Amino acid sequence: LLVLSAGLENQAGAPVGRELMAAAADAGIDLTEDNPCARFDESDLDVFDLVVCMDGPVRERVLERAKEFANRNPQMGDRLFAGGVDSAESKYAGYEAKVLVARGNNTILGGESGG
């Protein structure tokens, strides 16, 4: 199992600021060991099995970017989730299924409402 952490706004390679680490801790996510330095890229949606977001608003931002990426590149990506069909809609549906929300106490929930 490989777990990586990345931000939406950070510069690739830049250490995570204290403010973000404190916000993550408030959400029950400990980044002190990881000190993530990666930046999320839409192509990550085709590489990783799951993308776990800190909260619903972050998930929505990731899904907005996923929709744009799917529309730009409908023939590329994860055909497993797309059911082998090359279309922006099916590709986005696959992304939506793998973008989840983290909750405290190591619980991971899918969907906008966390259900």
Side-chain angles (χ1 to χ4, degrees):
L1 176 66
L2 175 63
V3 178
L4 300 173
S5 182
L8 291 176
E9 303 296 328
N10 63 313
Q11 296 297 320
V16 173
R18 294 180 192 264
E19 207 172 280
L20 180 58
M21 291 184 80
D26 289 345
I29 301 168
D30 181 8
L31 296 178
T32 57
E33 294 290 326
D34 298 333
N35 196 16
C37 298
R39 180 181 171 98
F40 173 79
D41 184 84
E42 292 85 356
S43 64
D44 292 340
L45 294 161
D46 288 329
V47 175
F48 297 103
D49 295 327
L50 293 175
V51 175
V52 181
C53 302
M54 285 184 58
D55 57 30
V58 171
R59 180 179 188 267
E60 291 307 311
R61 289 177 58 202
V62 169
L63 289 176
E64 285 173 20
R65 290 170 64 173
K67 184 172 277 190
E68 293 169 7
F69 183 68
N71 287 329
R72 283 193 316 268
N73 305 289
Q75 284 77 35
M76 297 174 57
D78 195 337
R79 296 174 62 97
L80 171 68
F81 281 104
V85 178
D86 285 332
S87 75
E89 293 83 17
S90 62
K91 185 172 180 177
Y92 175 75
Y95 293 155
E96 191 173 32
K98 65 165 85 176
V99 177
L100 308 175
V101 177
R103 297 286 188 237
N105 302 322
N106 298 318
T107 304
I108 299 174
L109 305 168
E112 267 182 68
S113 62

